[in-house]
PDB file of all heavy atoms in Angstrom:
ATOM      1  N   ILE A1081      56.929  21.160 -27.082  1.00 93.00           N
ATOM      2  CA  ILE A1081      55.488  21.288 -26.896  1.00 93.00           C
ATOM      3  C   ILE A1081      54.863  19.908 -27.034  1.00 93.00           C
ATOM      4  O   ILE A1081      55.128  19.178 -28.002  1.00 93.00           O
ATOM      5  CB  ILE A1081      54.885  22.269 -27.923  1.00 93.00           C
ATOM      6  CG1 ILE A1081      55.411  23.680 -27.674  1.00 93.00           C
ATOM      7  CG2 ILE A1081      53.361  22.238 -27.871  1.00 93.00           C
ATOM      8  CD1 ILE A1081      55.013  24.684 -28.739  1.00 93.00           C
ATOM      9  N   VAL A1082      54.052  19.523 -26.074  1.00 93.00           N
ATOM     10  CA  VAL A1082      53.477  18.181 -26.055  1.00 93.00           C
ATOM     11  C   VAL A1082      52.163  18.129 -26.825  1.00 93.00           C
ATOM     12  O   VAL A1082      51.930  17.216 -27.618  1.00 93.00           O
ATOM     13  CB  VAL A1082      53.269  17.707 -24.598  1.00 93.00           C
ATOM     14  CG1 VAL A1082      52.583  16.340 -24.569  1.00 93.00           C
ATOM     15  CG2 VAL A1082      54.617  17.640 -23.876  1.00 93.00           C
ATOM     16  N   PHE A1083      51.283  19.088 -26.581  1.00 92.00           N
ATOM     17  CA  PHE A1083      49.959  19.100 -27.213  1.00 92.00           C
ATOM     18  C   PHE A1083      49.931  20.138 -28.334  1.00 92.00           C
ATOM     19  O   PHE A1083      50.056  21.337 -28.075  1.00 92.00           O
ATOM     20  CB  PHE A1083      48.876  19.412 -26.170  1.00 92.00           C
ATOM     21  CG  PHE A1083      48.779  18.390 -25.073  1.00 92.00           C
ATOM     22  CD1 PHE A1083      49.391  18.609 -23.844  1.00 92.00           C
ATOM     23  CD2 PHE A1083      48.088  17.203 -25.278  1.00 92.00           C
ATOM     24  CE1 PHE A1083      49.311  17.660 -22.828  1.00 92.00           C
ATOM     25  CE2 PHE A1083      48.011  16.251 -24.271  1.00 92.00           C
ATOM     26  CZ  PHE A1083      48.622  16.475 -23.050  1.00 92.00           C
ATOM     27  N   GLU A1084      49.764  19.676 -29.565  1.00 87.00           N
ATOM     28  CA  GLU A1084      49.734  20.578 -30.711  1.00 87.00           C
ATOM     29  C   GLU A1084      48.377  21.262 -30.842  1.00 87.00           C
ATOM     30  O   GLU A1084      48.281  22.398 -31.303  1.00 87.00           O
ATOM     31  CB  GLU A1084      50.049  19.806 -31.998  1.00 87.00           C
ATOM     32  CG  GLU A1084      51.454  19.230 -32.029  1.00 87.00           C
ATOM     33  CD  GLU A1084      52.536  20.301 -32.105  1.00 87.00           C
ATOM     34  OE1 GLU A1084      52.203  21.463 -32.428  1.00 87.00           O
ATOM     35  OE2 GLU A1084      53.705  19.973 -31.834  1.00 87.00           O
ATOM     36  N   GLY A1085      47.324  20.574 -30.459  1.00 85.00           N
ATOM     37  CA  GLY A1085      45.982  21.129 -30.563  1.00 85.00           C
ATOM     38  C   GLY A1085      45.510  21.685 -29.239  1.00 85.00           C
ATOM     39  O   GLY A1085      46.254  22.368 -28.531  1.00 85.00           O
ATOM     40  N   GLU A1086      44.257  21.378 -28.897  1.00 91.00           N
ATOM     41  CA  GLU A1086      43.691  21.847 -27.630  1.00 91.00           C
ATOM     42  C   GLU A1086      44.442  21.218 -26.461  1.00 91.00           C
ATOM     43  O   GLU A1086      44.673  20.006 -26.430  1.00 91.00           O
ATOM     44  CB  GLU A1086      42.205  21.498 -27.559  1.00 91.00           C
ATOM     45  CG  GLU A1086      41.514  22.035 -26.326  1.00 91.00           C
ATOM     46  CD  GLU A1086      40.023  21.731 -26.322  1.00 91.00           C
ATOM     47  OE1 GLU A1086      39.520  21.221 -27.339  1.00 91.00           O
ATOM     48  OE2 GLU A1086      39.369  22.004 -25.287  1.00 91.00           O
ATOM     49  N   VAL A1087      44.810  22.041 -25.517  1.00 95.00           N
ATOM     50  CA  VAL A1087      45.582  21.577 -24.363  1.00 95.00           C
ATOM     51  C   VAL A1087      44.631  21.190 -23.233  1.00 95.00           C
ATOM     52  O   VAL A1087      43.862  22.032 -22.752  1.00 95.00           O
ATOM     53  CB  VAL A1087      46.560  22.665 -23.872  1.00 95.00           C
ATOM     54  CG1 VAL A1087      47.335  22.176 -22.649  1.00 95.00           C
ATOM     55  CG2 VAL A1087      47.513  23.069 -24.986  1.00 95.00           C
ATOM     56  N   PRO A1088      44.647  19.930 -22.786  1.00 94.00           N
ATOM     57  CA  PRO A1088      43.764  19.546 -21.670  1.00 94.00           C
ATOM     58  C   PRO A1088      44.226  20.179 -20.370  1.00 94.00           C
ATOM     59  O   PRO A1088      45.396  20.549 -20.212  1.00 94.00           O
ATOM     60  CB  PRO A1088      43.898  18.023 -21.624  1.00 94.00           C
ATOM     61  CG  PRO A1088      45.232  17.729 -22.226  1.00 94.00           C
ATOM     62  CD  PRO A1088      45.469  18.805 -23.262  1.00 94.00           C
ATOM     63  N   THR A1089      43.298  20.284 -19.431  1.00 96.00           N
ATOM     64  CA  THR A1089      43.643  20.766 -18.101  1.00 96.00           C
ATOM     65  C   THR A1089      44.051  19.581 -17.230  1.00 96.00           C
ATOM     66  O   THR A1089      43.888  18.417 -17.606  1.00 96.00           O
ATOM     67  CB  THR A1089      42.459  21.488 -17.441  1.00 96.00           C
ATOM     68  OG1 THR A1089      41.384  20.547 -17.250  1.00 96.00           O
ATOM     69  CG2 THR A1089      41.979  22.661 -18.295  1.00 96.00           C
ATOM     70  N   THR A1090      44.569  19.904 -16.065  1.00 97.00           N
ATOM     71  CA  THR A1090      45.042  18.873 -15.137  1.00 97.00           C
ATOM     72  C   THR A1090      43.953  17.853 -14.828  1.00 97.00           C
ATOM     73  O   THR A1090      44.172  16.640 -14.928  1.00 97.00           O
ATOM     74  CB  THR A1090      45.530  19.540 -13.847  1.00 97.00           C
ATOM     75  OG1 THR A1090      44.532  20.483 -13.396  1.00 97.00           O
ATOM     76  CG2 THR A1090      46.839  20.277 -14.083  1.00 97.00           C
ATOM     77  N   ASN A1091      42.773  18.329 -14.443  1.00 95.00           N
ATOM     78  CA  ASN A1091      41.701  17.399 -14.067  1.00 95.00           C
ATOM     79  C   ASN A1091      41.121  16.681 -15.277  1.00 95.00           C
ATOM     80  O   ASN A1091      40.683  15.526 -15.170  1.00 95.00           O
ATOM     81  CB  ASN A1091      40.600  18.093 -13.278  1.00 95.00           C
ATOM     82  CG  ASN A1091      40.086  19.346 -13.929  1.00 95.00           C
ATOM     83  OD1 ASN A1091      40.851  20.305 -14.123  1.00 95.00           O
ATOM     84  ND2 ASN A1091      38.800  19.378 -14.271  1.00 95.00           N
ATOM     85  N   GLU A1092      41.124  17.324 -16.455  1.00 95.00           N
ATOM     86  CA  GLU A1092      40.630  16.646 -17.662  1.00 95.00           C
ATOM     87  C   GLU A1092      41.513  15.459 -18.023  1.00 95.00           C
ATOM     88  O   GLU A1092      41.015  14.376 -18.355  1.00 95.00           O
ATOM     89  CB  GLU A1092      40.567  17.631 -18.831  1.00 95.00           C
ATOM     90  CG  GLU A1092      39.433  18.640 -18.726  1.00 95.00           C
ATOM     91  CD  GLU A1092      39.522  19.730 -19.789  1.00 95.00           C
ATOM     92  OE1 GLU A1092      40.596  19.879 -20.413  1.00 95.00           O
ATOM     93  OE2 GLU A1092      38.514  20.437 -19.992  1.00 95.00           O
ATOM     94  N   TRP A1093      42.842  15.646 -17.958  1.00 93.00           N
ATOM     95  CA  TRP A1093      43.749  14.538 -18.267  1.00 93.00           C
ATOM     96  C   TRP A1093      43.566  13.382 -17.288  1.00 93.00           C
ATOM     97  O   TRP A1093      43.492  12.219 -17.682  1.00 93.00           O
ATOM     98  CB  TRP A1093      45.202  15.018 -18.260  1.00 93.00           C
ATOM     99  CG  TRP A1093      46.168  13.913 -18.579  1.00 93.00           C
ATOM    100  CD1 TRP A1093      46.925  13.187 -17.700  1.00 93.00           C
ATOM    101  CD2 TRP A1093      46.450  13.382 -19.879  1.00 93.00           C
ATOM    102  NE1 TRP A1093      47.665  12.253 -18.370  1.00 93.00           N
ATOM    103  CE2 TRP A1093      47.398  12.342 -19.710  1.00 93.00           C
ATOM    104  CE3 TRP A1093      45.997  13.693 -21.168  1.00 93.00           C
ATOM    105  CZ2 TRP A1093      47.891  11.603 -20.777  1.00 93.00           C
ATOM    106  CZ3 TRP A1093      46.493  12.949 -22.236  1.00 93.00           C
ATOM    107  CH2 TRP A1093      47.427  11.919 -22.034  1.00 93.00           C
ATOM    108  N   GLU A1094      43.474  13.717 -16.010  1.00 93.00           N
ATOM    109  CA  GLU A1094      43.284  12.687 -14.986  1.00 93.00           C
ATOM    110  C   GLU A1094      42.011  11.885 -15.254  1.00 93.00           C
ATOM    111  O   GLU A1094      42.015  10.649 -15.235  1.00 93.00           O
ATOM    112  CB  GLU A1094      43.218  13.339 -13.601  1.00 93.00           C
ATOM    113  CG  GLU A1094      42.884  12.397 -12.461  1.00 93.00           C
ATOM    114  CD  GLU A1094      44.042  11.523 -12.003  1.00 93.00           C
ATOM    115  OE1 GLU A1094      45.185  11.793 -12.417  1.00 93.00           O
ATOM    116  OE2 GLU A1094      43.797  10.567 -11.251  1.00 93.00           O
ATOM    117  N   GLU A1095      40.915  12.561 -15.507  1.00 93.00           N
ATOM    118  CA  GLU A1095      39.636  11.881 -15.736  1.00 93.00           C
ATOM    119  C   GLU A1095      39.684  11.006 -16.983  1.00 93.00           C
ATOM    120  O   GLU A1095      39.174   9.876 -16.983  1.00 93.00           O
ATOM    121  CB  GLU A1095      38.510  12.906 -15.843  1.00 93.00           C
ATOM    122  CG  GLU A1095      38.169  13.578 -14.522  1.00 93.00           C
ATOM    123  CD  GLU A1095      37.203  14.745 -14.694  1.00 93.00           C
ATOM    124  OE1 GLU A1095      36.634  14.888 -15.804  1.00 93.00           O
ATOM    125  OE2 GLU A1095      37.018  15.510 -13.728  1.00 93.00           O
ATOM    126  N   MET A1096      40.296  11.508 -18.051  1.00 89.00           N
ATOM    127  CA  MET A1096      40.383  10.723 -19.286  1.00 89.00           C
ATOM    128  C   MET A1096      41.183   9.446 -19.065  1.00 89.00           C
ATOM    129  O   MET A1096      40.791   8.365 -19.528  1.00 89.00           O
ATOM    130  CB  MET A1096      41.011  11.569 -20.402  1.00 89.00           C
ATOM    131  CG  MET A1096      40.087  12.625 -20.988  1.00 89.00           C
ATOM    132  SD  MET A1096      40.761  13.452 -22.465  1.00 89.00           S
ATOM    133  CE  MET A1096      42.070  14.459 -21.754  1.00 89.00           C
ATOM    134  N   ARG A1097      42.291   9.547 -18.358  1.00 87.00           N
ATOM    135  CA  ARG A1097      43.129   8.362 -18.153  1.00 87.00           C
ATOM    136  C   ARG A1097      42.477   7.367 -17.202  1.00 87.00           C
ATOM    137  O   ARG A1097      42.564   6.162 -17.401  1.00 87.00           O
ATOM    138  CB  ARG A1097      44.515   8.769 -17.650  1.00 87.00           C
ATOM    139  CG  ARG A1097      45.364   9.427 -18.731  1.00 87.00           C
ATOM    140  CD  ARG A1097      46.800   8.921 -18.726  1.00 87.00           C
ATOM    141  NE  ARG A1097      46.912   7.487 -18.948  1.00 87.00           N
ATOM    142  CZ  ARG A1097      48.047   6.813 -18.852  1.00 87.00           C
ATOM    143  NH1 ARG A1097      49.162   7.446 -18.524  1.00 87.00           N
ATOM    144  NH2 ARG A1097      48.100   5.515 -19.070  1.00 87.00           N
ATOM    145  N   VAL A1098      41.829   7.872 -16.161  1.00 90.00           N
ATOM    146  CA  VAL A1098      41.154   6.964 -15.221  1.00 90.00           C
ATOM    147  C   VAL A1098      40.044   6.202 -15.937  1.00 90.00           C
ATOM    148  O   VAL A1098      39.902   4.981 -15.779  1.00 90.00           O
ATOM    149  CB  VAL A1098      40.588   7.745 -14.022  1.00 90.00           C
ATOM    150  CG1 VAL A1098      39.687   6.845 -13.168  1.00 90.00           C
ATOM    151  CG2 VAL A1098      41.715   8.307 -13.159  1.00 90.00           C
ATOM    152  N   LYS A1099      39.249   6.889 -16.745  1.00 86.00           N
ATOM    153  CA  LYS A1099      38.131   6.250 -17.442  1.00 86.00           C
ATOM    154  C   LYS A1099      38.596   5.170 -18.413  1.00 86.00           C
ATOM    155  O   LYS A1099      37.976   4.119 -18.536  1.00 86.00           O
ATOM    156  CB  LYS A1099      37.330   7.300 -18.216  1.00 86.00           C
ATOM    157  CG  LYS A1099      36.417   8.165 -17.376  1.00 86.00           C
ATOM    158  CD  LYS A1099      35.657   9.161 -18.250  1.00 86.00           C
ATOM    159  CE  LYS A1099      34.718  10.014 -17.428  1.00 86.00           C
ATOM    160  NZ  LYS A1099      33.974  10.988 -18.270  1.00 86.00           N
ATOM    161  N   SER A1100      39.709   5.437 -19.106  1.00 79.00           N
ATOM    162  CA  SER A1100      40.105   4.547 -20.205  1.00 79.00           C
ATOM    163  C   SER A1100      41.077   3.451 -19.796  1.00 79.00           C
ATOM    164  O   SER A1100      41.173   2.430 -20.484  1.00 79.00           O
ATOM    165  CB  SER A1100      40.736   5.374 -21.335  1.00 79.00           C
ATOM    166  OG  SER A1100      41.977   5.934 -20.920  1.00 79.00           O
ATOM    167  N   TYR A1101      41.778   3.621 -18.659  1.00 70.00           N
ATOM    168  CA  TYR A1101      42.866   2.702 -18.326  1.00 70.00           C
ATOM    169  C   TYR A1101      42.359   1.259 -18.195  1.00 70.00           C
ATOM    170  O   TYR A1101      41.420   0.980 -17.437  1.00 70.00           O
ATOM    171  CB  TYR A1101      43.562   3.106 -17.020  1.00 70.00           C
ATOM    172  CG  TYR A1101      44.745   2.210 -16.715  1.00 70.00           C
ATOM    173  CD1 TYR A1101      45.976   2.420 -17.316  1.00 70.00           C
ATOM    174  CD2 TYR A1101      44.608   1.108 -15.878  1.00 70.00           C
ATOM    175  CE1 TYR A1101      47.050   1.578 -17.090  1.00 70.00           C
ATOM    176  CE2 TYR A1101      45.663   0.255 -15.633  1.00 70.00           C
ATOM    177  CZ  TYR A1101      46.884   0.501 -16.246  1.00 70.00           C
ATOM    178  OH  TYR A1101      47.932  -0.360 -16.018  1.00 70.00           O
ATOM    179  N   GLY A1102      42.963   0.364 -18.945  1.00 62.00           N
ATOM    180  CA  GLY A1102      42.676  -1.062 -18.836  1.00 62.00           C
ATOM    181  C   GLY A1102      41.354  -1.503 -19.398  1.00 62.00           C
ATOM    182  O   GLY A1102      40.999  -2.690 -19.314  1.00 62.00           O
ATOM    183  N   THR A1103      40.595  -0.572 -20.012  1.00 67.00           N
ATOM    184  CA  THR A1103      39.265  -0.932 -20.511  1.00 67.00           C
ATOM    185  C   THR A1103      39.027  -0.487 -21.947  1.00 67.00           C
ATOM    186  O   THR A1103      38.080  -0.928 -22.581  1.00 67.00           O
ATOM    187  CB  THR A1103      38.163  -0.299 -19.629  1.00 67.00           C
ATOM    188  OG1 THR A1103      38.272   1.132 -19.677  1.00 67.00           O
ATOM    189  CG2 THR A1103      38.279  -0.763 -18.180  1.00 67.00           C
TER     190      THR A1103
END
Side-chain angles (χ1 to χ4, degrees):
I1081 294 173
V1082 176
F1083 298 99
E1084 296 292 345
E1086 184 177 353
V1087 179
T1089 64
T1090 48
N1091 51 298
E1092 287 171 344
W1093 180 260
E1094 174 77 12
E1095 289 171 12
M1096 285 188 289
R1097 288 223 60 187
V1098 170
K1099 283 181 179 180
S1100 67
Y1101 184 82
T1103 62

